[in-house]
Amino acid sequence: TAYEIRLSLVGSEMCIRDRYQRRVRACSRCESCPVKTELEGPHLTMSSIDNFLASTVVPTKFYSPQSQQAVLLRVSILVLVGVLALLVRLFSVLRYESVIHEFDPYFNFRSTKYLVNEGFYNFHNWFDEFSWYPLGRITGGTVYPGLMVTAAFFYHLLNFFNITVAIRNVCVLLAPLFAAKTAFALYLFTREMKDASAGLFAAAFISIVPGYISRSVAGSFDNEGIAIFALVLTFFLWVKAVNTGSLFWGALCAVGYFYMVSAWGGYVFIINLIPIHVLVLLVTGRFSSRIYIAYNSMYVLGTLLSMQVTFVGFQPVQSSEHMGALGVFGLVQIYCAINWVKSLLPPDYFQAFFRLAVIFGSTTLGLAAVIGVLTGYISPWTGRFYALLDPTYAKEHIPIIASVSEHQPTTWSSFLFDLHCLVFLIPVGFYFSFKHLNDANIFGIIYGILSVYFAGVMVRLMLVLAPVACALSAIGISSSLRTYIAFLRSSKKSKTEVAYPVQKEVALVIVAGIAIMLIFYTHHCVWVTSEAYSSPSIVLAAKQPDGSRIIFDDFREAYYWLRYNSAPDAKVMSWWDYGYQISAMANRTILVDNNTWNNSHIAQVGKAFASSEEKAYDIMRKLDVDYVLIIFGGLTGYSSDDINKFLWMVRIAGSTDPNIKEVDYYSTSGEYRVDAQASPVMLNTLMYKLCYYGFGTMYTEQSKPPGYDRVRNVEIGNKNFDLTYLEEAFTSEHWLVRVYKVKPPVNRGVEA
Amino acid sequence: MKNYLLLSLVVIFFFASCYVEAHSASGDRVLVVLKDSSLKSTHSRFFKSLQARGFKLTFGTSKDSSLVLSKYGEFLYDHLVLFVSGVDDFAPKISVASVVEFIDEGKNVLLATDTEVGDAVRNLGEELGVEFDEEETNVIDHFNYHPSDTLDHTLLVATPAKNVTLFAGVQPVLFRGVGHTLSNENNGLNIPFLHGASTAYSFFLDKPVGKRAPKILGSKSQLVSALQARNNARAVISGSLELFSDKFFSTDAVLAGKKSKSGNEQFAQIVSGWVFQEKGVLKVDRVYHAHAATGETPSFYTIKDEVTYSIRILEWNGEKWAPFSANDVQYEFTRLDPYVRLYLTPDSEGNFNTTYILPDVYGVFSMIVDYARPGYTFISTKDVIPVRPFRHNQYERFIIAAYPYYASSFSMLVGIFVFSLYFLYTREDPKKKKD
């Protein structure tokens, strides 16, 4: 039949054999399984196997004789894991209050409020005139709306049932909720790769792995919080689709992918990883109709769906990052077509046809690619993508990307910090995956290898590594335990294997060792969550010498000062890190924010900060600046302040204006310093003056001269100066935030 | 009872008949501080002309300790005439700082001095953006002097600045006194009213030029200059007291062999009228912008909207606010850089209008009219308005260029339907397969 022909073309023999073995193995445990009997029939052909397998969903869930008990146990473990995932992320709420953390979450929070108040269509068309003054930002079209829509959905859902919850609380608790869901999704994913017990381990691992907790504690209302769930879910659905070869799962995978696309820019990882998986299967001769169905349905539907997200638009068919997926899509078609032709033509005809097809195909493709790139239809890779491939690229070419701390390469210590024992368990997982190689395992291996590399390039991609690290480690642990616990059990009356002398004792030691390691893992994870990842970063805490805690709430103090004391249309200039917070908390127009879409506008602001007061005044007048806000840590010792970020401002300003040279801001010995040996240019920049205005007379530490900076640990170099064009408007309690007002031009044209 | 009524009526009529309405847009109380009281008689024609225009003059000398500018935080005068030189303070209770404050609060000052200058005048000059030459220097011009001054050539005959429309048709003006320069010529606030010819210079009369070069040379030597501050307070700085004197008013001026009556009286009248806000006073009555089609003023525009902008500018004509007319009022639609810059079309009501199509650029735009002409109040209005991109449903629904795509997608739909039917309801002949 036609179906038979297609199958014989598409499915290679090896693959079918593999599947045959797999299913038989899987089903051998179940007496009543229909597969076994049918496969053992006399008319066994390749096509009938595949035909049967494709049409039958093998009930793997219920193969155990004690299935009900096992299901109950499994469900209760999963529920507990979910509860654990939720609870461990609540440290920050209990310790501080239910607030949004960090920087980006403030934008998401503000957008969610807008979405809830104005409705979806207004959100979709939202043009935000309060940010990026005077350019404005088409927020609706430059945002991944998944997070806001999800939060708004939960908000409306709760309110529909008359559970009146504030939007803020929904936003605060969304990430922990999704962490629980992620654990469940990872259970499914790992189960698809290995088995249910490995799945349970994986769920337990991910529920507390610090690499993921860092972005999903309560209050961390960020894209990643839901995107990791979407990522794992998509991978699960993909593996499921590959295993079943079902159009249904392929379509579901596309829907999961759509959710991921709507939530996070990291979806590019999926749309590259899945084609790589397909390619590897193709090369290793494991290609089959299941993969053909899964990939085609996923790619076509997924691409169409992803193009519905305004921000993504036509990128899936234009940008280089997506070309890999398109290429593999084409390759799969060509592969199948050639196999089909091969079955129709005699071998020597086919040789000629093949040669012609290759020449014609490669020239057309090459031409299309060249024309596409030359006409700009296929956009070149974005800077972040280059930075992924070449870790030194960003530092040289795009300071704005390199300036973000989470785009820095990862240190070894942070691998251990974020993954703990999983670092050592990943190879174990690789080992067991290779040992029982199948399509799903290959996916896990590729995912693991790639994400280890990416996590090494950028700190923040640790987040992508975390799920697969958990899955692989779970496979490793689960397989080892299975081996050794079997020894413990079977030692009573071993039927088959040769008993080694101290077999039971060794097994005991190893099982105990694993248990202790897992206990340490749990301990470490909770400690990291509590100490490192649960501070909201808008409220700072420090321990005083007597052990009591001191709270620095300067950020909110200053933002609320602006909110209630400046004109409603006042424009605030600050470095872009604080843009989202100012617009959300102070409700004032800002020049640049964390959505760093316009490099030259940021460079303008950087130039203002890096110039002398007089030159900066011209820039600020041009940009209609009313207030300047800076973060200064010299009094409290808060090290991520603007002086420490200042070199990045200089670099970014220098990337558009060659007159700003980084060298000018270094001392003669080439160091970046603010004391008396600093370069005069540095000591007269606007940033220096705004930070240290009035600081020269402050005593910060005993036995140190006045004007002693506690971050840089030096006495500042320029103490006595006055501001000509600005005046101090507000300085927060601990001097963390300082706000200056830009004076109007002098009335008589004569400076005072 | 009736008598009282009659009496009050008589009183009212009496005061009404005495009352001359002030011609200034900003008040009629003038304090005149004189170097010495004799100036009151030597400059009587100038003061009379002020009084005739409705100003209420209060005279005092720079030694008069009863003179104060403000009381209980309120200014007692709207304008100040300073005819002084060689003093450290304008009056015992009127310091330079108080005069500066007077200006910064929007009041006006007419300052005239002579070669004695003095610290008070010099310091005030600095605050107003001018720098006087040293004491005892004179502006000298060996080419444009008055014939009566054959010895020193310090009595100059100068023509008022041509770019200031106020001085159209004014005869050459006689000047004798100290020169000054503008500290910052390009700030747009200081305007030369009367400056020396290219042959003028400023130097001591009793010292030979040579050892020291003159500080002020040529047309940079300002004789009378004006300052209009950003708050539209006005000040006029004259290096010559005599310019306002009765004597100069009645002397003939000779320039380039042409003899005419000196323009001093006219010049003094125009200058004092300008500085006391009688002339060249503009105000914005209203600013209006809206969709051209509907006439509604929205809170934002969309790109490519047709927008009407209108500004009504009124000019003080000495009695009331009358429509201003000019052809050079420009309008800018700016987002960092101007995207639209147009001349506004005036009408008889003082409205300046334009209708234009917004550029295809979104952002927060400013609608700016910045009208700064020498001699006129600065007009500067700025309305900030966001310009949004199209909404998702404002784009064209069906475009001709996309017809092939519509056709292909619909043919695809039909095709899938037909093929599905075909595959579902046809069966291959089993015999055929065997072959």
Side-chain angles (χ1 to χ4, degrees), chain B residues 226-335:
Chain B
L227 167 85
Q228 182 164 277
R230 289 203 164 83
N231 64 355
N232 284 313
R234 288 171 177 179
V236 164
I237 302 110
S238 165
S240 167
L241 265 172
E242 286 175 278
L243 191 151
F244 298 96
S245 67
D246 298 355
K247 190 178 151 206
F248 276 27
F249 279 12
S250 51
T251 310
D252 289 341
V254 183
L255 185 68
K258 275 202 331 194
K259 189 173 169 185
S260 61
K261 190 176 175 299
S262 82
N264 281 37
E265 185 163 18
Q266 211 183 348
F267 182 76
Q269 195 168 347
I270 290 170
V271 161
S272 60
W274 179 82
V275 73
F276 295 155
Q277 311 265 358
E278 284 179 335
K279 291 188 169 66
V281 182
L282 305 178
K283 77 168 183 186
V284 176
D285 187 38
R286 59 151 211 180
V287 176
Y288 163 82
H289 59 87
H291 282 296
T294 60
E296 282 169 24
T297 302
S299 59
F300 63 85
Y301 288 108
T302 308
I303 53 169
K304 295 181 175 173
D305 273 353
E306 196 177 17
V307 171
T308 298
Y309 181 89
S310 165
I311 181 171
R312 184 154 193 246
I313 302 175
L314 299 179
E315 183 180 17
W316 178 255
N317 69 0
E319 280 159 12
K320 63 176 176 22
W321 292 100
F324 176 65
S325 81
N327 289 319
D328 57 352
V329 181
Q330 277 187 339
Y331 167 74
E332 278 181 12
F333 193 63
T334 303
R335 191 200 79 176

Side-chain angles (χ1 to χ4, degrees), chain A residues 225-524:
Chain A
I226 64 165
I228 293 303
F229 163 71
L231 182 89
V232 175
L233 184 74
T234 311
F235 286 157
F236 158 66
L237 292 168
W238 165 247
V239 172
K240 187 86 184 170
V242 165
N243 277 346
T244 57
S246 139
L247 206 56
F248 172 71
W249 288 110
L252 274 190
C253 178
V255 174
Y257 173 65
F258 173 56
Y259 188 54
M260 176 70 188
V261 174
S262 73
W264 193 35
Y267 76 89
V268 175
F269 183 62
I270 298 185
I271 202 59
N272 282 299
L273 187 61
I274 288 179
I276 289 174
H277 182 217
V278 173
L279 198 65
V280 168
L281 292 177
L282 199 72
V283 169
T284 55
R286 292 175 154 269
F287 192 75
S288 71
S289 64
R290 289 175 289 117
I291 293 153
Y292 183 81
I293 293 167
Y295 185 65
N296 282 347
S297 54
M298 186 270 158
Y299 178 73
V300 173
L301 281 178
T303 302
L304 283 177
L305 284 172
S306 67
M307 287 166 77
Q308 307 311 309
V309 178
T310 325
F311 191 26
V312 176
F314 281 95
Q315 276 181 51
V317 289
Q318 285 188 343
S319 83
S320 302
E321 287 101 321
H322 302 76
M323 282 301 123
L326 185 64
V328 169
F329 178 70
L331 194 68
V332 165
Q333 314 305 330
I334 292 169
Y335 180 77
C336 292
I338 286 176
N339 272 347
W340 179 64
V341 172
K342 193 177 177 182
S343 75
L344 292 181
L345 291 178
D348 47 338
Y349 278 92
F350 175 72
Q351 286 292 323
F353 165 77
F354 188 71
R355 212 173 300 129
L356 263 179
V358 166
I359 292 169
F360 181 73
S362 53
T363 40
T364 344
L365 267 181
L367 266 179
V370 167
I371 290 171
V373 170
L374 285 184
T375 55
Y377 186 77
I378 299 174
S379 57
W381 285 334
T382 59
R384 282 203 181 104
F385 198 74
Y386 272 122
L388 266 184
L389 298 180
D390 173 11
T392 57
Y393 177 85
K395 193 166 184 190
E396 283 160 22
H397 295 97
I398 328 158
I400 194 127
I401 290 179
S403 77
V404 182
S405 62
E406 60 184 25
H407 291 166
Q408 304 297 329
T410 319
T411 55
W412 275 112
S413 58
S414 78
F415 268 103
L416 285 175
F417 191 73
D418 278 350
L419 298 175
H420 195 245
C421 66
L422 303 188
V423 175
F424 310 109
L425 290 173
I426 294 172
V428 184
F430 277 137
Y431 169 75
F432 282 107
S433 299
F434 270 112
K435 214 173 161 193
H436 305 287
L437 214 53
N438 59 31
D439 296 350
N441 273 346
I442 289 179
F443 183 74
I445 291 166
I446 298 169
Y447 178 15
I449 292 171
L450 285 181
S451 58
V452 165
Y453 170 73
F454 289 140
V457 175
M458 267 191 202
V459 177
R460 92 159 155 171
L461 293 180
M462 188 65 83
L463 203 59
V464 176
L465 172 64
V468 73
C470 291
L472 286 170
S473 308
I475 290 173
I477 288 258
S478 164
S479 303
S480 321
L481 277 182
R482 175 157 295 180
T483 313
Y484 288 104
I485 285 181
F487 282 137
L488 284 181
R489 269 196 192 149
S490 61
S491 59
K492 291 177 280 179
K493 226 166 212 165
S494 185
K495 317 174 253 183
T496 51
E497 281 143 41
V498 188
Y500 293 104
V502 284
Q503 192 184 29
K504 200 178 165 187
E505 287 72 14
V506 168
L508 198 66
V509 166
I510 287 180
V511 170
I514 289 177
I516 289 170
M517 187 169 70
L518 294 184
I519 290 169
F520 271 116
Y521 171 74
T522 315
H523 211 78
H524 171 82

Side-chain angles (χ1 to χ4, degrees), chain B residues 357-371:
Chain B
I357 291 174
L358 298 187
D360 188 5
V361 179
Y362 64 82
V364 182
F365 282 82
S366 302
M367 301 171 136
I368 295 174
V369 170
D370 194 357
Y371 186 72

